[in-house]
Amino acid sequence: EMFDKMGSMSKAVDINRDIFTLFKSGKEEFSWESGFSHSEIYSLGPKSLGTVIKALIRSSKLWHRIFYSNNDNEEAKRRSLKCCMDALNIFDSSPAKRQLSDRRIIFPCYSLMNNMAKTMTYTPPNNMTKEEFESTLAENFVKETQYQQYHQCRALAFKADVMGRHSKYEEALSVIVEMNTIYDPVLHSKVLMKEYVSDHCINMTAYSTIWLHYIGRCDEALRLSNEVVETSLPEIEETELVTKLNVLTPICRVMASQGQASTAKKALELFRNHVSDPAALAGNKAHPGLFKRL
């Protein structure tokens, strides 16, 4: 079965490569290493730009899946990162971008780069530091998603994540507050799951309880933990065990750190009821990554 999947992924990669070749100059074939030249990028019209961007995002995800199936495959890892960065660069530098009526084609790429930046080692372009590169991406994502509700929420979650990972906790918490003036779990959680695989807004709000606790705002951390449990957790599908794990891990840590038997007991009950017991019942049907975390 694994080889069947690998074969289908390889075919999909070849199809995307054939698509890219259509936009190369002359009879030149597309190369994953060299990508597109400046003149080729500038010659793209709005429809062609959309086709290239979507195919690059698909390719990045495919190469990432190939790398995920074999972590020694450095070529797949390198190409996954390059396709994602190329999509962002082409979108940013192509004159056809100004003619697009719908710029949402690039939104999944920002989210994908955010996830890969957290889980893979990479070298930022143009001699930028990782903080500079990721902060610039987050700011661009926020600008691109203005007035587009749940997309804007995802972009702000990205921005807070970058700040938090670089120890700018107060700034990150301010972004979380801004995000939650827009975000409504009842309206947005399921659509975010569909669009971005995970509801990063719930994830980051839950994780921000750790930042609050770290900087000594423990009462606020506990209040926010309870708020997430009461208003956001019910919006997560019963089968989304990995999402529940991501949400409850920081919240349970905060509750257990309060030094009160009642909050520690509540943390244990939450984890059992929403993660460990359902995972045990689901057995092999549960997401494989869940058992690596439990």
Short mmCIF file of all heavy atoms in Angstrom, two decimals, residues 1-49:
data_model
loop_
_atom_site.label_atom_id
_atom_site.label_comp_id
_atom_site.label_asym_id
_atom_site.label_seq_id
_atom_site.Cartn_x
_atom_site.Cartn_y
_atom_site.Cartn_z
N GLU A 1 0.83 -1.21 0.00
CA GLU A 1 0.00 0.00 0.00
C GLU A 1 0.86 1.25 0.00
O GLU A 1 0.58 2.22 -0.70
CB GLU A 1 -0.93 -0.01 1.20
CG GLU A 1 -1.90 1.15 1.22
CD GLU A 1 -2.79 1.13 2.46
OE1 GLU A 1 -2.78 0.12 3.19
OE2 GLU A 1 -3.49 2.13 2.67
N MET A 2 1.96 1.23 0.79
CA MET A 2 2.85 2.38 0.85
C MET A 2 3.45 2.67 -0.52
O MET A 2 3.53 3.82 -0.97
CB MET A 2 3.97 2.15 1.87
CG MET A 2 4.89 3.36 2.03
SD MET A 2 6.28 3.03 3.12
CE MET A 2 7.32 2.04 2.05
N PHE A 3 3.87 1.60 -1.24
CA PHE A 3 4.46 1.79 -2.55
C PHE A 3 3.44 2.28 -3.57
O PHE A 3 3.77 3.04 -4.47
CB PHE A 3 5.12 0.49 -3.02
CG PHE A 3 6.38 0.14 -2.27
CD1 PHE A 3 6.41 -0.94 -1.41
CD2 PHE A 3 7.52 0.92 -2.41
CE1 PHE A 3 7.56 -1.25 -0.71
CE2 PHE A 3 8.68 0.62 -1.71
CZ PHE A 3 8.70 -0.46 -0.85
N ASP A 4 2.18 1.85 -3.42
CA ASP A 4 1.11 2.35 -4.28
C ASP A 4 0.95 3.85 -4.10
O ASP A 4 0.81 4.61 -5.06
CB ASP A 4 -0.22 1.64 -3.96
CG ASP A 4 -0.24 0.20 -4.47
OD1 ASP A 4 0.60 -0.12 -5.33
OD2 ASP A 4 -1.09 -0.58 -4.01
N LYS A 5 0.96 4.28 -2.83
CA LYS A 5 0.83 5.70 -2.54
C LYS A 5 2.03 6.48 -3.09
O LYS A 5 1.88 7.56 -3.66
CB LYS A 5 0.71 5.93 -1.03
CG LYS A 5 -0.63 5.49 -0.44
CD LYS A 5 -0.68 5.75 1.05
CE LYS A 5 -2.01 5.30 1.64
NZ LYS A 5 -2.05 5.50 3.10
N MET A 6 3.23 5.90 -2.92
CA MET A 6 4.42 6.55 -3.43
C MET A 6 4.35 6.69 -4.94
O MET A 6 4.74 7.71 -5.52
CB MET A 6 5.67 5.75 -3.02
CG MET A 6 6.01 5.87 -1.54
SD MET A 6 6.49 7.54 -1.07
CE MET A 6 8.05 7.69 -1.95
N GLY A 7 3.83 5.64 -5.61
CA GLY A 7 3.71 5.67 -7.06
C GLY A 7 2.75 6.74 -7.52
O GLY A 7 3.03 7.47 -8.47
N SER A 8 1.61 6.87 -6.84
CA SER A 8 0.63 7.88 -7.22
C SER A 8 1.16 9.28 -6.94
O SER A 8 0.90 10.22 -7.70
CB SER A 8 -0.69 7.65 -6.47
OG SER A 8 -0.50 7.80 -5.08
N MET A 9 1.93 9.46 -5.86
CA MET A 9 2.52 10.76 -5.57
C MET A 9 3.54 11.12 -6.62
O MET A 9 3.63 12.27 -7.06
CB MET A 9 3.15 10.76 -4.17
CG MET A 9 2.13 10.89 -3.04
SD MET A 9 2.88 11.23 -1.43
CE MET A 9 3.52 9.61 -1.00
N SER A 10 4.33 10.13 -7.05
CA SER A 10 5.34 10.36 -8.08
C SER A 10 4.70 10.79 -9.39
O SER A 10 5.18 11.70 -10.07
CB SER A 10 6.18 9.10 -8.28
OG SER A 10 7.14 9.28 -9.29
N LYS A 11 3.58 10.15 -9.75
CA LYS A 11 2.86 10.53 -10.97
C LYS A 11 2.32 11.95 -10.86
O LYS A 11 2.38 12.73 -11.82
CB LYS A 11 1.70 9.56 -11.21
CG LYS A 11 2.14 8.17 -11.68
CD LYS A 11 0.95 7.25 -11.83
CE LYS A 11 1.40 5.84 -12.22
NZ LYS A 11 0.26 4.90 -12.29
N ALA A 12 1.79 12.29 -9.67
CA ALA A 12 1.26 13.64 -9.47
C ALA A 12 2.37 14.69 -9.59
O ALA A 12 2.16 15.77 -10.16
CB ALA A 12 0.59 13.73 -8.10
N VAL A 13 3.55 14.37 -9.05
CA VAL A 13 4.70 15.27 -9.16
C VAL A 13 5.07 15.47 -10.63
O VAL A 13 5.34 16.59 -11.08
CB VAL A 13 5.91 14.71 -8.37
CG1 VAL A 13 7.19 15.42 -8.77
CG2 VAL A 13 5.67 14.87 -6.87
N ASP A 14 5.07 14.38 -11.42
CA ASP A 14 5.40 14.46 -12.84
C ASP A 14 4.38 15.31 -13.60
O ASP A 14 4.75 16.07 -14.51
CB ASP A 14 5.47 13.05 -13.45
CG ASP A 14 6.69 12.27 -12.97
OD1 ASP A 14 7.65 12.91 -12.49
OD2 ASP A 14 6.68 11.02 -13.09
N ILE A 15 3.11 15.17 -13.24
CA ILE A 15 2.06 15.98 -13.89
C ILE A 15 2.29 17.46 -13.63
O ILE A 15 2.19 18.30 -14.54
CB ILE A 15 0.66 15.55 -13.40
CG1 ILE A 15 0.31 14.15 -13.94
CG2 ILE A 15 -0.41 16.56 -13.81
CD1 ILE A 15 -0.93 13.54 -13.33
N ASN A 16 2.61 17.80 -12.38
CA ASN A 16 2.88 19.20 -12.05
C ASN A 16 4.11 19.72 -12.80
O ASN A 16 4.13 20.87 -13.27
CB ASN A 16 3.08 19.36 -10.54
CG ASN A 16 1.78 19.26 -9.77
OD1 ASN A 16 0.70 19.46 -10.31
ND2 ASN A 16 1.87 18.93 -8.50
N ARG A 17 5.11 18.87 -12.92
CA ARG A 17 6.33 19.27 -13.67
C ARG A 17 5.98 19.56 -15.13
O ARG A 17 6.49 20.52 -15.72
CB ARG A 17 7.37 18.16 -13.58
CG ARG A 17 8.72 18.53 -14.18
CD ARG A 17 9.75 17.45 -13.87
NE ARG A 17 11.05 17.79 -14.42
CZ ARG A 17 11.45 17.45 -15.65
NH1 ARG A 17 10.63 16.77 -16.45
NH2 ARG A 17 12.64 17.79 -16.08
N ASP A 18 5.10 18.75 -15.71
CA ASP A 18 4.67 18.98 -17.10
C ASP A 18 3.91 20.31 -17.22
O ASP A 18 4.05 21.02 -18.22
CB ASP A 18 3.78 17.84 -17.58
CG ASP A 18 4.55 16.53 -17.78
OD1 ASP A 18 5.79 16.60 -17.90
OD2 ASP A 18 3.91 15.46 -17.81
N ILE A 19 3.13 20.64 -16.19
CA ILE A 19 2.41 21.92 -16.19
C ILE A 19 3.40 23.07 -16.19
O ILE A 19 3.27 24.04 -16.96
CB ILE A 19 1.47 22.01 -14.97
CG1 ILE A 19 0.31 21.03 -15.12
CG2 ILE A 19 0.93 23.44 -14.80
CD1 ILE A 19 -0.56 20.90 -13.88
N PHE A 20 4.43 22.98 -15.35
CA PHE A 20 5.43 24.05 -15.27
C PHE A 20 6.18 24.22 -16.59
O PHE A 20 6.51 25.34 -16.98
CB PHE A 20 6.42 23.78 -14.13
CG PHE A 20 5.80 23.73 -12.76
CD1 PHE A 20 6.17 22.75 -11.85
CD2 PHE A 20 4.85 24.66 -12.38
CE1 PHE A 20 5.60 22.71 -10.59
CE2 PHE A 20 4.26 24.63 -11.12
CZ PHE A 20 4.65 23.64 -10.23
N THR A 21 6.45 23.11 -17.26
CA THR A 21 7.17 23.16 -18.54
C THR A 21 6.41 23.99 -19.57
O THR A 21 7.03 24.63 -20.43
CB THR A 21 7.43 21.73 -19.06
OG1 THR A 21 8.27 21.03 -18.12
CG2 THR A 21 8.15 21.76 -20.40
N LEU A 22 5.09 24.00 -19.48
CA LEU A 22 4.27 24.79 -20.42
C LEU A 22 4.59 26.28 -20.33
O LEU A 22 4.36 27.02 -21.30
CB LEU A 22 2.77 24.58 -20.13
CG LEU A 22 2.20 23.18 -20.34
CD1 LEU A 22 0.77 23.11 -19.84
CD2 LEU A 22 2.27 22.79 -21.82
N PHE A 23 5.10 26.71 -19.20
CA PHE A 23 5.35 28.14 -18.99
C PHE A 23 6.84 28.49 -19.08
O PHE A 23 7.22 29.61 -18.76
CB PHE A 23 4.78 28.57 -17.64
CG PHE A 23 3.30 28.36 -17.54
CD1 PHE A 23 2.79 27.24 -16.89
CD2 PHE A 23 2.41 29.25 -18.11
CE1 PHE A 23 1.43 27.02 -16.80
CE2 PHE A 23 1.04 29.05 -18.03
CZ PHE A 23 0.55 27.92 -17.38
N LYS A 24 7.66 27.53 -19.53
CA LYS A 24 9.08 27.79 -19.73
C LYS A 24 9.31 28.38 -21.12
O LYS A 24 8.53 28.16 -22.05
CB LYS A 24 9.90 26.51 -19.57
CG LYS A 24 9.89 25.93 -18.17
CD LYS A 24 10.63 26.81 -17.17
CE LYS A 24 12.12 26.85 -17.42
NZ LYS A 24 12.80 27.70 -16.40
N SER A 25 10.40 29.11 -21.26
CA SER A 25 10.72 29.73 -22.54
C SER A 25 11.20 28.68 -23.53
O SER A 25 11.95 27.76 -23.17
CB SER A 25 11.81 30.79 -22.36
OG SER A 25 11.38 31.79 -21.47
N GLY A 26 10.80 28.84 -24.80
CA GLY A 26 11.26 27.94 -25.85
C GLY A 26 10.90 26.50 -25.58
O GLY A 26 9.78 26.18 -25.17
N LYS A 27 11.87 25.61 -25.77
CA LYS A 27 11.65 24.17 -25.57
C LYS A 27 12.28 23.66 -24.27
O LYS A 27 12.43 22.46 -24.06
CB LYS A 27 12.22 23.38 -26.75
CG LYS A 27 11.51 23.69 -28.07
CD LYS A 27 12.07 22.84 -29.20
CE LYS A 27 11.34 23.14 -30.52
NZ LYS A 27 11.89 22.33 -31.63
N GLU A 28 12.66 24.59 -23.42
CA GLU A 28 13.32 24.22 -22.16
C GLU A 28 12.34 23.50 -21.23
O GLU A 28 11.19 23.93 -21.08
CB GLU A 28 13.85 25.47 -21.47
CG GLU A 28 14.65 25.17 -20.20
CD GLU A 28 15.10 26.44 -19.49
OE1 GLU A 28 14.91 27.54 -20.05
OE2 GLU A 28 15.63 26.32 -18.37
N GLU A 29 12.79 22.40 -20.62
CA GLU A 29 11.97 21.69 -19.65
C GLU A 29 12.15 22.29 -18.26
O GLU A 29 13.21 22.82 -17.93
CB GLU A 29 12.33 20.19 -19.64
CG GLU A 29 11.88 19.43 -20.87
CD GLU A 29 11.95 17.93 -20.67
OE1 GLU A 29 12.44 17.49 -19.61
OE2 GLU A 29 11.50 17.20 -21.57
N PHE A 30 11.12 22.17 -17.45
CA PHE A 30 11.17 22.70 -16.09
C PHE A 30 12.11 21.88 -15.23
O PHE A 30 12.14 20.64 -15.29
CB PHE A 30 9.77 22.69 -15.47
CG PHE A 30 9.74 23.16 -14.04
CD1 PHE A 30 9.76 24.50 -13.74
CD2 PHE A 30 9.70 22.24 -12.99
CE1 PHE A 30 9.74 24.95 -12.42
CE2 PHE A 30 9.67 22.67 -11.68
CZ PHE A 30 9.69 24.03 -11.39
N SER A 31 12.90 22.56 -14.42
CA SER A 31 13.79 21.91 -13.46
C SER A 31 13.40 22.34 -12.05
O SER A 31 13.19 23.53 -11.79
CB SER A 31 15.25 22.33 -13.73
OG SER A 31 16.07 22.07 -12.61
N TRP A 32 13.26 21.36 -11.13
CA TRP A 32 12.90 21.67 -9.75
C TRP A 32 13.96 22.55 -9.09
O TRP A 32 13.65 23.35 -8.20
CB TRP A 32 12.74 20.39 -8.94
CG TRP A 32 11.61 19.52 -9.39
CD1 TRP A 32 11.68 18.33 -10.05
CD2 TRP A 32 10.21 19.79 -9.23
NE1 TRP A 32 10.44 17.84 -10.31
CE2 TRP A 32 9.50 18.71 -9.83
CE3 TRP A 32 9.48 20.82 -8.65
CZ2 TRP A 32 8.12 18.64 -9.84
CZ3 TRP A 32 8.10 20.77 -8.66
CH2 TRP A 32 7.42 19.68 -9.25
N GLU A 33 15.21 22.41 -9.53
CA GLU A 33 16.29 23.16 -8.91
C GLU A 33 16.32 24.63 -9.37
O GLU A 33 16.46 25.54 -8.56
CB GLU A 33 17.64 22.50 -9.24
CG GLU A 33 17.96 21.29 -8.38
CD GLU A 33 17.02 20.10 -8.66
OE1 GLU A 33 16.65 19.90 -9.84
OE2 GLU A 33 16.65 19.41 -7.69
N SER A 34 16.15 24.86 -10.68
CA SER A 34 16.27 26.24 -11.19
C SER A 34 14.95 26.99 -11.22
O SER A 34 14.92 28.22 -11.18
CB SER A 34 16.89 26.22 -12.59
OG SER A 34 16.11 25.42 -13.47
N GLY A 35 13.82 26.26 -11.32
CA GLY A 35 12.51 26.91 -11.30
C GLY A 35 12.27 27.80 -12.51
O GLY A 35 12.58 27.42 -13.64
N PHE A 36 11.77 29.01 -12.24
CA PHE A 36 11.46 29.95 -13.32
C PHE A 36 12.41 31.15 -13.28
O PHE A 36 12.82 31.60 -12.21
CB PHE A 36 10.02 30.46 -13.18
CG PHE A 36 8.97 29.41 -13.42
CD1 PHE A 36 8.39 28.75 -12.34
CD2 PHE A 36 8.58 29.07 -14.70
CE1 PHE A 36 7.42 27.78 -12.55
CE2 PHE A 36 7.62 28.10 -14.93
CZ PHE A 36 7.04 27.44 -13.84
N SER A 37 12.72 31.67 -14.48
CA SER A 37 13.56 32.87 -14.57
C SER A 37 12.70 34.11 -14.35
O SER A 37 11.47 34.06 -14.36
CB SER A 37 14.21 32.94 -15.96
OG SER A 37 13.21 33.16 -16.95
N HIS A 38 13.37 35.25 -14.13
CA HIS A 38 12.65 36.51 -13.92
C HIS A 38 11.79 36.85 -15.13
O HIS A 38 10.64 37.31 -14.99
CB HIS A 38 13.64 37.65 -13.65
CG HIS A 38 14.30 37.57 -12.31
ND1 HIS A 38 13.60 37.70 -11.13
CD2 HIS A 38 15.60 37.38 -11.95
CE1 HIS A 38 14.43 37.59 -10.10
NE2 HIS A 38 15.65 37.39 -10.57
N SER A 39 12.34 36.65 -16.33
CA SER A 39 11.58 36.98 -17.54
C SER A 39 10.35 36.09 -17.68
O SER A 39 9.28 36.55 -18.13
CB SER A 39 12.47 36.84 -18.78
OG SER A 39 12.94 35.50 -18.93
N GLU A 40 10.47 34.83 -17.29
CA GLU A 40 9.32 33.91 -17.35
C GLU A 40 8.24 34.32 -16.35
O GLU A 40 7.05 34.25 -16.65
CB GLU A 40 9.78 32.48 -17.08
CG GLU A 40 10.59 31.89 -18.25
CD GLU A 40 11.38 30.64 -17.87
OE1 GLU A 40 11.52 30.36 -16.66
OE2 GLU A 40 11.87 29.97 -18.79
N ILE A 41 8.67 34.75 -15.17
CA ILE A 41 7.71 35.22 -14.16
C ILE A 41 6.99 36.47 -14.65
O ILE A 41 5.77 36.59 -14.53
CB ILE A 41 8.43 35.48 -12.82
CG1 ILE A 41 8.96 34.17 -12.22
CG2 ILE A 41 7.48 36.17 -11.83
CD1 ILE A 41 9.89 34.36 -11.04
N TYR A 42 7.75 37.39 -15.25
CA TYR A 42 7.16 38.65 -15.72
C TYR A 42 6.24 38.44 -16.92
O TYR A 42 5.37 39.28 -17.18
CB TYR A 42 8.27 39.64 -16.08
CG TYR A 42 8.73 40.45 -14.89
CD1 TYR A 42 9.49 39.87 -13.88
CD2 TYR A 42 8.40 41.80 -14.76
CE1 TYR A 42 9.90 40.60 -12.77
CE2 TYR A 42 8.80 42.54 -13.66
CZ TYR A 42 9.55 41.94 -12.67
OH TYR A 42 9.94 42.66 -11.58
N SER A 43 6.41 37.34 -17.64
CA SER A 43 5.58 37.08 -18.82
C SER A 43 4.25 36.41 -18.46
O SER A 43 3.37 36.27 -19.32
CB SER A 43 6.34 36.21 -19.83
OG SER A 43 6.50 34.89 -19.33
N LEU A 44 4.07 35.99 -17.21
CA LEU A 44 2.84 35.31 -16.81
C LEU A 44 1.66 36.28 -16.77
O LEU A 44 1.76 37.36 -16.20
CB LEU A 44 3.01 34.68 -15.42
CG LEU A 44 4.00 33.52 -15.28
CD1 LEU A 44 4.19 33.15 -13.81
CD2 LEU A 44 3.54 32.30 -16.07
N GLY A 45 0.54 35.87 -17.37
CA GLY A 45 -0.70 36.62 -17.23
C GLY A 45 -1.41 36.19 -15.96
O GLY A 45 -0.96 35.26 -15.27
N PRO A 46 -2.52 36.84 -15.61
CA PRO A 46 -3.21 36.49 -14.35
C PRO A 46 -3.67 35.04 -14.27
O PRO A 46 -3.52 34.41 -13.22
CB PRO A 46 -4.40 37.46 -14.32
CG PRO A 46 -4.49 38.04 -15.69
CD PRO A 46 -3.14 37.98 -16.29
N LYS A 47 -4.21 34.49 -15.37
CA LYS A 47 -4.64 33.09 -15.34
C LYS A 47 -3.45 32.15 -15.23
O LYS A 47 -3.49 31.16 -14.48
CB LYS A 47 -5.46 32.77 -16.60
CG LYS A 47 -6.85 33.37 -16.61
CD LYS A 47 -7.65 32.90 -17.82
CE LYS A 47 -9.05 33.50 -17.80
NZ LYS A 47 -9.84 33.06 -18.99
N SER A 48 -2.39 32.44 -15.97
CA SER A 48 -1.18 31.61 -15.91
C SER A 48 -0.55 31.68 -14.52
O SER A 48 -0.07 30.67 -13.98
CB SER A 48 -0.17 32.07 -16.96
OG SER A 48 -0.69 31.92 -18.26
N LEU A 49 -0.55 32.87 -13.93
CA LEU A 49 -0.01 33.04 -12.58
C LEU A 49 -0.78 32.15 -11.60
O LEU A 49 -0.16 31.45 -10.78
CB LEU A 49 -0.12 34.50 -12.14
CG LEU A 49 0.30 34.81 -10.70
CD1 LEU A 49 1.76 34.48 -10.46
CD2 LEU A 49 0.02 36.29 -10.38
#
